[in-house]
Amino acid sequence: MKSFLIIGASSGIGEAIANSLLSQNHQVYATYCNNEITLSHPNLKTSYFNVVSSDGFSFDFPEELDGLVYCPGTINLKPFNGLKLDDFSQEFDVNVLGFIRVLKLALRSLKQRPSSVLGFSSVCAKRGFNFHSSTATSKSALEGLFVSLAKEFAPKIRFNLIAPSIIDTPLSEKLINTPKKVENISATHPIPRLGNTHDISSLANHLISEDSSWITGQVISVDGGKSNLL
């Protein structure tokens, strides 16, 4: 049995990853913020945790961790002229500083054995899209951070990022809340559909397992071909 900490496991990608790890009988420590976790399993321990304020962690923090998955994210699509400095700061706080806060808390446990850290960037960090300047700024910073950490902590801790296009999760619901929106967004991908949580969780499980022990410092696109084929 291995032990994993999943930050943001109440829905979407985080919930799918936690559910998959539990199905393999691993020990999962999972946090939530806005909505409680509905998964139930003898190997699951849950806690409220706010990545911005570092409030939470009601469970006893594990002494050893095999992996950390950081799932909180933001989508704030506005024209640049409509964005305030606070918009940039808020996204940076969740996507970058939030991860740093968690890593500071978990680092000692991750260093006890060979381990893996996984985070999430976005296709918008690589491709230019209208109205994505705030999100792209924080996700691009996260990519730089992960590459630096991968170098610093090799070979003990591996750091990798998955960069999805739009995924059918609660975070994206405002963008895909009509059939027409789904059709239009799907058509922008060479593989013309939205991503789903299994598309991401299947790769996530590989990257935090020993099967990927020679992979670190990578940003892996899972985007229906959007980042390279258009």
Side-chain angles (χ1 to χ4, degrees):
M1 179 191 295
K2 296 185 179 297
S3 296
F4 296 91
L5 174 61
I6 314 295
I7 305 297
S10 62
S11 65
I13 293 170
E15 181 182 54
I17 295 171
N19 192 44
S20 179
L21 291 172
L22 291 168
S23 72
Q24 301 169 59
N25 289 317
H26 293 307
Q27 177 67 55
V28 175
Y29 300 86
T31 75
Y32 63 90
C33 187
N34 296 323
N35 302 299
E36 291 192 14
I37 294 169
T38 58
L39 296 175
S40 179
H41 193 280
N43 293 348
L44 175 66
K45 294 185 178 182
T46 67
S47 174
Y48 170 84
F49 182 68
N50 188 322
V51 300
V52 173
S53 63
S54 296
D55 293 334
F57 281 142
S58 60
F59 49 65
D60 292 332
F61 203 79
E63 293 184 3
E64 296 182 344
L65 280 172
D66 295 279
L68 162 65
V69 183
Y70 186 82
C71 299
T74 58
I75 301 178
N76 186 19
L77 305 188
K78 295 180 181 178
F80 180 79
N81 286 339
L83 288 166
K84 300 178 181 179
L85 286 178
D86 281 349
D87 292 314
F88 285 88
S89 296
Q90 288 168 9
E91 290 210 73
F92 197 86
D93 208 3
V94 172
N95 293 321
V96 182
L97 296 181
F99 168 74
I100 292 172
R101 293 183 185 102
V102 170
L103 184 61
K104 290 283 189 180
L105 292 169
L107 189 57
R108 182 177 180 180
S109 299
L110 290 164
K111 291 171 71 175
Q112 300 307 307
R113 57 177 70 169
S115 60
S116 177
V117 176
L118 178 65
F120 293 92
S121 183
S122 167
V123 65
C124 73
K126 184 175 183 179
R127 292 289 305 271
F129 299 130
N130 292 333
F131 313 134
H132 280 71
S133 58
S134 179
T135 301
T137 296
S138 61
K139 293 298 189 180
S140 297
L142 191 65
E143 291 189 6
L145 173 62
F146 263 65
V147 171
S148 296
L149 292 171
K151 178 71 172 181
E152 182 172 343
F153 288 100
K156 193 75 171 182
I157 307 175
R158 297 183 296 109
F159 288 82
N160 293 291
L161 285 164
I162 294 175
S165 185
I166 190 164
I167 306 296
D168 187 0
T169 66
L171 183 64
S172 306
E173 60 186 357
K174 291 182 180 179
L175 304 177
I176 54 175
N177 55 8
T178 69
K180 186 62 175 176
K181 288 181 180 179
V182 171
E183 179 183 353
N184 289 342
I185 292 174
S186 297
T188 66
H189 299 79
I191 299 176
R193 65 170 175 85
L194 302 183
N196 58 57
T197 55
H198 178 71
D199 293 323
I200 307 303
S201 65
S202 58
L203 177 58
N205 276 277
H206 177 69
L207 290 173
I208 59 177
S209 76
E210 294 176 354
D211 291 337
S212 63
S213 62
W214 211 40
I215 301 175
T216 192
Q218 303 302 306
V219 181
I220 302 176
S221 298
V222 184
D223 56 18
K226 189 165 187 173
S227 58
N228 285 334
L229 302 181
L230 292 178

